[in-house]
Amino acid sequence: MIEELKEHKSLVIALVVVLSLTAAVILFVQGRTSETGTGGATGKTQDKEPGAKVSVANGTLTVVPLNGRQIYESGETVSLALRGDSNGQDAVGFDAALKVDQNILVFSQAESKLENFDTFNNVNEERVYIGGIRKLSSKAASIFDNAELATLTFKARAGGHSNVDFIFKPNDTTESNIVLTTSKDGLGDVKGTDIYVGEKITVTTASSVVLPSTNFKIALKDVTTESANLDISLGDASEPKKFTWGPGGTVSKNVETSAGYVFQVEKGSGNSVNVYYAVQKTLN
């Protein structure tokens, strides 16, 4: 009888030890789970602390007239610079989907301006697409610092106005994008431009001229190495306009409007300027 009690006591002690060890293991696992996040994960899940930095795409794509001129005559070649900034990040590619009025501007070609990138293009009724991808043979980092990625060439077809805008929505990179080596999207903002197709006339300080097919009268008041002052008259109303191209420039940086028309001035020879003008209208 005594032996049986001893055996029973030993079994109870063993059971208590097993239960104690099991409880200790459970507490340890619970403690690890509360430290690392959701249980069952094969690795640590790093929870974001309040105020922790979140990665945001801050790269930009822009398109600008290569020579600064925004008003052209029908039949002229229109060259636009596609520029990109990857915000200090290494980039392996870019996509530029542009909405263009192809009744006004006809796409001709895209020429890569990056030696270590191949450029390709595709055009349909909805958009003009230009893409670039870094060559596999290139080992150097490609950080776009407002770099010219490609030169886009169009032919001015007919009179009118065309926006040249990127098809882009933040956090939606199915169209325009800058692709980083981290496989993350790098594009955060875009900026397009406006192109007009109209006519050109030369004006001197000697006499005023009437613009063909309009009732506008243009008088060149004075011209310097950096700017020109014109009076633009329609009927009895006259507006003074100053066009500035700055040191070393030839095309005015500003485009002025008057009575539904847009005007831009190019420095001519002697006391003359070339006045480009077109009907101002918005792309549907």
Side-chain angles (χ1 to χ4, degrees):
M1 182 69 176
I2 294 174
E3 294 297 328
E4 291 179 356
L5 287 174
K6 287 181 178 180
E7 183 178 353
H8 180 70
K9 184 177 180 181
S10 298
L11 290 173
V12 171
I13 292 173
L15 180 60
V16 169
V17 170
V18 170
L19 291 174
S20 299
L21 289 173
T22 302
V25 169
I26 291 173
L27 290 173
F28 176 78
V29 171
Q30 288 178 340
R32 292 287 293 173
T33 301
S34 63
E35 290 176 359
T36 60
T38 305
T42 57
K44 288 187 178 182
T45 302
Q46 296 180 353
D47 295 329
K48 292 183 175 64
E49 298 179 359
K53 292 184 178 179
V54 179
S55 177
V56 178
N58 288 318
T60 58
L61 286 175
T62 60
V63 62
V64 295
L66 196 60
N67 64 357
R69 185 147 59 90
Q70 292 180 249
I71 307 175
Y72 294 82
E73 293 181 279
S74 179
E76 276 195 286
T77 296
V78 180
S79 296
L80 305 179
L82 173 64
R83 310 189 74 89
D85 194 303
S86 60
N87 192 41
Q89 302 298 306
D90 188 13
V92 294
F94 62 87
D95 303 291
L98 299 172
K99 186 175 179 62
V100 181
D101 188 338
Q102 297 181 55
N103 294 315
I104 308 296
L105 299 174
V106 181
F107 178 76
S108 298
Q109 66 175 3
E111 178 186 358
S112 177
K113 305 303 289 185
L114 302 174
E115 292 183 358
N116 59 336
F117 273 70
D118 289 320
T119 300
F120 45 91
N121 60 80
N122 178 272
V123 181
N124 61 31
E125 294 181 355
E126 300 297 324
R127 52 99 178 108
V128 174
Y129 171 79
I130 300 94
I133 186 168
R134 192 163 74 192
K135 296 177 181 178
L136 294 176
S137 59
S138 177
K139 304 302 180 183
S142 302
I143 298 175
F144 303 155
D145 184 10
N146 193 29
E148 186 176 350
L149 309 180
T151 297
L152 316 181
T153 304
F154 295 82
K155 185 70 71 176
R157 171 184 283 177
H161 162 240
S162 175
N163 296 118
V164 182
D165 284 337
F166 291 89
I167 303 173
F168 171 71
K169 294 180 181 178
N171 303 317
D172 182 1
T173 57
T174 56
E175 298 289 352
S176 300
N177 193 20
I178 293 177
V179 184
L180 305 178
T181 52
T182 57
S183 298
K184 292 182 179 180
D185 301 322
L187 185 60
D189 196 15
V190 295
K191 184 178 181 181
T193 190
D194 294 283
I195 298 296
Y196 303 87
V197 180
E199 299 181 55
K200 177 185 77 171
I201 193 168
T202 300
V203 183
T204 70
T205 54
S207 61
S208 60
V209 298
V210 176
L211 301 185
S213 305
T214 77
N215 293 318
F216 283 104
K217 180 185 289 187
I218 303 292
L220 177 59
K221 308 304 291 183
D222 63 74
V223 57
T224 71
T225 56
E226 298 185 11
S227 64
N229 287 292
L230 285 79
D231 277 343
I232 300 177
S233 303
L234 186 62
D236 295 330
S238 178
E239 293 184 275
K241 300 286 187 180
K242 183 175 183 178
F243 297 87
T244 303
W245 44 79
T250 58
V251 178
S252 66
K253 299 176 182 178
N254 55 313
V255 174
E256 297 293 335
T257 62
S258 180
Y261 276 72
V262 291
F263 300 86
Q264 192 170 22
V265 170
E266 179 183 54
K267 183 169 61 174
S269 59
N271 294 324
S272 71
V273 296
N274 296 317
V275 178
Y276 292 88
Y277 62 99
V279 174
Q280 179 187 16
K281 70 175 185 179
T282 307
L283 187 68
N284 51 355

